[in-house]
Amino acid sequence: MAQATLPLKHLFDLPEGVIYLDGNSLGPLPKGAVARAVDVMENEWGAELIKAWNTADWMSLPQIVGDQIAPLIGAPSGSIATGDTLSIKVFQALAAGLKMRPERRIILSDHGNFPSDLYMAQGLIALKDQGYHLRTPAPERVIEQITEEVAVVMLTHADYRSGRLHDMAAITKRAHAVGAVMIWDLAHSAGAMPLDVSGCACEFAVGCTYKYLNGGPGAPAFIYARPDLVATVEPALSGWMGHIAPFAMDPTYQPAMTTERLRVGTPPILQLSVLQQALRLWDGVSLTEIRAASLALSELFIAEVEKRCPGLTLASPRDPAQRASHVSFAFDHSYPAMRALIDRGVIGDFRAPDLMRFGFTPLYLDAADIRRAVDVLQEVITDELWRDAKYQTVNKVT
């Protein structure tokens, strides 16, 4: 298969005149996704009704999509289950990991982890009520905190605010050296750079598909389980789609002997179908090229912003090798400034307390887009356009 030439703007439906620097939060609409959704609604659901579970092979869709995701994270075919939300997949992985180390009581994360991951850990600790504790040191101190009392290390590979990267191989190696289970959240790195979950030998990895994988709002999450461990993983959420024979209607749960045991409820067919279409965009795309292009765009952005907008302070790692595909700048008036920027066709986002966050996705961005974006940002900052009263009201979603 011929390698695709970046960018691939023609494969996306982006509004005219918009420079989209928020694909790290919600990827844009891929061309073909609407047609695929309509086809499922009209020709599968509409024409076939319930028969479509067989005639359109809906039941196999979670596995099909999982196998499309697998090469993007360096996993083998059959090792990924899809469906549910990322928070559910975090809960599943964490609960299974704790059962693998029943004599230990420490969950180790970091204080910069995505809040939902920490909330799921806190909820599971309260639910089990067996003396578990969550430790959250500074990200830079995680590796030294991985000791023999730790049951599970649960980290997000790329910090959702700054893009700072954890060293996946080194941390996993340290976790295994002391007998801990390793869980990686790949929400901000899957589709942004080459990953190798097989090579690092982590027990579990989870991620969402609506960011760099462009599956749409609320697109199904995924969970990877290391193949040699699958038969021993005890599902905490024993849903019927994880049963070895769902339609036997056995009143006693018996988990499937594959990663499918980590499925829970009925698969969301419309969302999975759109995701299946979106993942076809990756045919012929090199993640090594994606990574190189992303870093080139982010380096250009940083240089231009620091030259033209001195009031903004880089809040991401200076070393490009230490960050993912998004960059954040701190600014005292970051929320209204981001609203003013979005109002002028350059879409990034805000993260509390004072960060303006920008994503660099070379599937649909090029250097000309970056320079135009900084032109607008410079105008917003220099002319203090963010002072307009209409930008002072905080929206529900920031």
Side-chain angles (χ1 to χ4, degrees):
M1 182 182 296
Q3 184 171 313
T5 301
L6 300 174
L8 302 170
K9 296 186 181 190
H10 63 286
L11 298 181
F12 294 89
D13 279 322
L14 281 162
E16 189 69 28
V18 166
I19 299 174
Y20 193 60
L21 304 180
D22 209 12
N24 55 294
S25 189
L26 174 65
L29 177 67
K31 287 185 177 176
V34 173
R36 177 64 180 131
V38 170
D39 180 54
V40 172
M41 288 190 286
E42 292 184 347
N43 299 318
E44 296 179 8
W45 178 19
E48 294 293 289
L49 298 169
I50 200 169
K51 295 184 298 178
W53 286 104
N54 291 309
T55 59
D57 201 18
W58 283 352
M59 192 57 75
S60 298
L61 197 53
Q63 298 102 307
I64 291 169
V65 171
D67 284 346
Q68 287 178 283
I69 294 170
L72 300 178
I73 67 167
S77 176
S79 64
I80 293 177
T82 61
D84 314 301
T85 68
L86 178 52
S87 292
I88 293 297
K89 295 308 177 195
V90 168
F91 184 94
Q92 286 182 285
L94 186 55
L98 292 178
K99 283 197 172 186
M100 291 177 178
R101 303 293 183 268
E103 73 286 359
R104 302 186 183 195
R105 288 293 181 272
I106 301 299
I107 300 167
L108 182 68
S109 189
D110 69 60
H111 66 51
N113 203 352
F114 190 70
S116 188
D117 289 22
L118 300 180
Y119 300 161
M120 297 309 287
Q122 292 163 7
L124 180 59
I125 287 170
L127 180 67
K128 293 179 78 69
D129 194 21
Q130 294 175 359
Y132 287 95
H133 298 280
L134 174 64
R135 289 183 183 169
T136 56
E140 297 81 4
R141 296 196 60 200
V142 163
I143 197 162
E144 66 189 60
Q145 296 288 317
I146 303 175
T147 62
E148 292 183 354
E149 62 184 343
V150 173
V152 175
V153 181
M154 178 189 68
L155 297 169
T156 297
H157 182 218
D159 187 286
Y160 76 100
R161 296 160 306 176
S162 68
R164 178 194 181 276
L165 288 172
H166 278 297
D167 187 329
M168 184 181 290
I171 289 176
T172 304
K173 182 178 180 180
R174 174 61 185 167
H176 290 166
V178 301
V181 171
M182 187 73 234
I183 301 171
W184 285 106
D185 182 339
L186 307 177
H188 282 279
S189 49
M193 64 190 68
L195 297 169
D196 187 11
V197 296
S198 292
C200 83
C202 60
E203 281 78 4
F204 299 98
V206 297
C208 61
T209 61
Y210 47 79
K211 300 181 190 299
Y212 296 105
L213 303 185
N214 308 297
F222 65 85
I223 183 168
Y224 159 85
R226 206 172 75 203
D228 63 304
L229 299 174
V230 167
T232 64
V233 171
E234 296 184 42
L237 299 174
S238 45
W240 80 308
M241 282 296 158
H243 194 281
I244 193 169
F247 288 91
M249 303 300 175
D250 185 345
T252 302
Y253 181 75
Q254 298 181 60
M257 295 306 294
T258 67
T259 311
E260 294 298 284
R261 67 174 54 198
L262 294 172
R263 287 174 58 186
V264 183
T266 304
I269 297 303
L270 284 171
Q271 290 178 309
L272 280 168
S273 298
V274 170
L275 176 58
Q276 179 187 26
Q277 179 66 33
L279 290 169
R280 289 174 178 146
L281 300 177
W282 291 94
D283 292 345
V285 174
S286 163
L287 279 165
T288 300
E289 293 296 320
I290 286 285
R291 176 64 169 161
S294 172
L295 292 182
L297 294 174
S298 62
E299 286 289 279
L300 174 62
F301 183 80
I302 290 170
E304 291 292 315
V305 170
E306 292 189 326
K307 180 170 64 177
R308 298 198 259 161
C309 306
L312 275 61
T313 303
L314 182 65
S316 296
R318 176 73 59 184
D319 180 357
Q322 298 300 314
R323 64 174 187 265
S325 287
H326 63 273
V327 169
S328 293
F329 277 88
F331 180 55
D332 288 344
H333 309 284
S334 55
Y335 181 74
M338 181 55 73
R339 287 198 60 189
L341 194 64
I342 292 171
D343 218 16
R344 287 158 178 80
V346 177
I347 301 179
D349 63 16
F350 162 83
R351 285 296 175 263
D354 62 352
L355 297 181
M356 301 178 73
R357 190 175 67 164
F358 305 90
F360 302 93
T361 311
L363 287 176
Y364 48 83
L365 291 170
D366 57 28
D369 294 321
I370 302 309
R371 290 190 177 94
R372 286 197 299 271
V374 181
D375 288 342
V376 179
L377 178 59
Q378 181 180 13
E379 180 186 13
V380 167
I381 301 300
T382 301
D383 296 344
E384 297 188 347
L385 302 179
W386 50 266
R387 291 190 181 278
D388 193 307
K390 66 181 178 181
Y391 302 135
Q392 311 309 311
T393 302
V394 179
N395 290 328
K396 288 182 179 179
V397 177
T398 62

